[in-house]
Amino acid sequence: MTAPATPDIASGPRKQLRKHATDYTLLGTAHVSKVSADEVRSLIQSGEFDAVAVELCPARHANMVNPDALAKMDLFQVIKQGKAGMVAANLALGSFQQRVAEESGIAPGEEMKAAIEEAKAADLPLMAIDRDVGITLKRVYRSVPWWQRTALVSGLVGSLFSREKVSSEEIEKLKEGDVLESTFSEFAQESEKLYQALIAERDHYMALRLAQENGDSRYKKVLVVVGAGHLKGLEENLAGHLPEDPREQLDILEAVPPASRWPKLLPWIIAALILTGFVIGFNRNTELGMQLVLDWVLINGGLSALGVLIAGAHPLTVVTAFVAAPLTSLNPTIGAGFVAAGAELWLRKPKVADFSRLRQDTASLKGWWKNRVSRTLLVFIFATLGSAAGTYIGGFRIFGLLTGGNA
């Protein structure tokens, strides 16, 4: 039995703030609330404001304005540029939004859509002041030690792909923050660095963006629509000292912390060790060398092919993954996932309808396998994971044969 929804308040919390010659009205909204959407419409229609700012990054704003933008996506370039995981994560977030919409009767972010529509109708400038969601995801990921990242990713995937009813607690979290914040809320409570990347940095970033867009106070009365969870932080940052040219601080907050060097070196080290193992094996005797090569191919190729098979790929893509994985694992400049996804694209080129239905299909677990676009992303991810597992398992197998007394 579904828990009764908490009644919406009559109006969201507001903060009035004067900065230089501009009066800012900061409106804290509930991201899952028809009342918040109606309040945004009412405020803009009042004619009191000459500009509107929203807690959206340009990419999310573009997706709201043009929901069919995904249909123009070049999937091969997405995979080639290493953005397949990010696109999959955004689609997964969208699937959670769809579930919330089905349970609550209103889609998360409806008040942002209302702000966009009413600002356009009133011919008011609209400022998208939030940081790009991709940058935030990367900074969140890099903010935790590498050994905690697996739990972070698994928690995200588990919560997004769960087919259980959305609980009243999850709905309440979305009334304070967006889908991204509610997904990582439990982790953020335990990690100061995660809280900084997810909440505090964005509060500072949005204040800087307002200073950048309206540093000359060209707009005298600005309505700023943000989630209630950002209201206090944004007010404090906006009331504090902001540089005349905020670009330098914005660049700092947009920079993705560099990855550790050892993860980049590790594939080369492993490849060198595997090749060295082959050389040692053949030097001992040809039979041992052939056994090492055979085990490497079966383990690495087999696990990558298994991943592709689970993704529902074309049979020839499965064969391609089996052949490619043992070779690509010894050449870190190209991955098994890229080769397998390329084969799947060639064999099953997505149709226009697949792109058009992408958001709807990925709202269900079954739809990820049904849609050719999302299935190709799964092929890339599962082939990569299978090959990675095969590299380590195969490496240990080779080490065991070499140290097992074979002559």
Side-chain angles (χ1 to χ4, degrees), residues 227-354:
H230 287 281
L231 194 60
K232 181 180 178 181
L234 178 57
E235 179 192 21
E236 292 174 350
N237 279 279
L238 193 57
H241 173 72
L242 293 173
E244 290 186 10
D245 183 5
R247 187 65 259 172
E248 182 178 350
Q249 291 188 23
L250 286 170
D251 287 342
I252 293 173
L253 292 174
E254 289 174 349
V256 177
S260 302
R261 293 188 64 184
W262 69 265
K264 294 182 179 180
L265 295 175
L266 189 59
W268 293 99
I269 295 172
I270 292 174
L273 291 174
I274 298 298
L275 291 172
T276 301
F278 291 158
V279 172
I280 294 174
F282 278 105
N283 281 337
R284 289 186 183 179
N285 61 70
T286 303
E287 183 180 350
L288 175 59
M290 292 300 297
Q291 183 65 48
L292 296 178
V293 172
L294 180 61
D295 286 358
W296 171 256
V297 171
L298 291 176
I299 294 172
N300 200 308
L303 288 176
S304 185
L306 177 61
V308 170
L309 186 64
I310 292 173
H314 191 282
L316 288 180
T317 304
V318 177
V319 174
T320 300
F322 179 82
V323 174
L327 299 174
T328 58
S329 295
L330 299 176
N331 177 18
T333 60
I334 187 171
F338 176 75
V339 176
E344 184 69 11
L345 279 174
W346 183 69
L347 292 164
R348 289 173 170 170
K349 186 176 181 180
K351 301 176 182 178
V352 173
D354 290 300

Side-chain angles (χ1 to χ4, degrees), residues 139-150 152 187 191 193-194:
R139 287 182 70 94
V140 165
Y141 185 74
R142 297 277 173 83
S143 68
V144 297
W146 64 269
W147 62 85
Q148 293 181 5
R149 291 175 183 173
T150 301
L152 196 66
F187 295 97
S191 172
K193 289 184 177 179
L194 197 58

Side-chain angles (χ1 to χ4, degrees), residues 61-141:
H61 171 256
N63 286 337
M64 281 192 172
V65 173
N66 182 17
D68 297 327
L70 283 173
K72 302 175 183 177
M73 177 175 61
D74 187 332
L75 189 55
F76 183 78
Q77 288 300 317
V78 166
I79 295 171
K80 182 179 179 181
Q81 294 169 9
K83 297 180 179 178
M86 188 62 62
V87 171
N90 282 327
L91 288 173
L93 286 168
S95 73
F96 182 71
Q97 287 182 315
Q98 183 63 34
R99 286 173 55 215
V100 171
E102 292 171 357
E103 295 296 321
S104 66
I106 183 170
E110 195 67 29
E111 85 283 18
M112 299 297 168
K113 187 179 295 184
I116 293 171
E117 293 173 353
E118 293 301 330
K120 181 178 180 181
D123 197 25
L124 297 179
L126 183 84
M127 297 174 278
I129 60 173
D130 199 3
R131 183 171 62 189
D132 182 84
V133 64
I135 293 175
T136 295
L137 278 171
K138 289 177 182 177
R139 287 182 70 94
V140 165
Y141 185 74

Side-chain angles (χ1 to χ4, degrees), residues 2 41 176 337 357:
T2 305
R41 292 187 185 278
E176 287 296 314
R357 296 196 311 265

